[in-house]
Amino acid sequence: MNVDPANAGGPFFDYLINGNEGGIADRVLSFLEELDAQQRDAVAEVIGGALDQNVFVGGSRYHGNLWLRDAETTAWHVLLARRRRRETEEDRKRFLEAWSNA
């Protein structure tokens, strides 16, 4: 499995140039969603192994999993921020009402 922008598919660099962070975030989340547990562990091991082990306490798989969780959270925040720009005041009121009734 090779994870790099050239293999991300589609116009990855066009997203960066045109400021479409949501497109990149969506691709990151889609990629990570498709990984099974074994593949995710392998990706985490590679990423964790690339981090400087002398700086952090713990193993490479642990560090890689932390990095993957951070990537997912960041991508999720980007998608939420993009969505909020399109929301109207009425959308926000409906959300807050649903939240308070939950």
Side-chain angles (χ1 to χ4, degrees):
M1 178 179 302
N2 190 2
V3 182
D4 66 64
N7 291 338
F12 188 85
F13 290 107
D14 290 341
Y15 289 146
L16 290 173
I17 293 168
N18 296 326
N20 184 0
E21 299 86 4
I24 295 169
D26 188 51
R27 285 193 178 274
V28 168
L29 290 175
S30 294
F31 168 78
L32 292 173
E33 179 185 20
E34 292 177 11
L35 295 177
D36 62 27
Q38 187 176 13
Q39 291 170 324
R40 187 176 175 99
D41 280 347
V43 170
E45 187 76 37
V46 170
I47 291 170
L51 297 172
D52 185 357
Q53 298 298 320
N54 295 326
V55 177
F56 306 110
V57 175
S60 58
R61 182 176 295 145
Y62 175 71
H63 295 138
N65 276 314
L66 289 176
W67 190 94
L68 287 173
R69 280 187 265 167
D70 186 50
E72 285 173 318
T73 301
T74 301
W76 180 241
H77 287 171
V78 168
L79 288 178
L80 286 176
R82 181 183 70 172
R83 182 174 179 259
R84 286 186 189 121
R85 281 187 266 160
R86 293 191 305 245
E87 288 180 341
T88 64
E89 184 64 29
E90 185 61 34
D91 293 332
R92 285 188 285 281
K93 285 179 185 176
R94 275 198 316 267
F95 170 78
L96 291 173
E97 183 179 326
W99 183 264
S100 65
N101 292 333

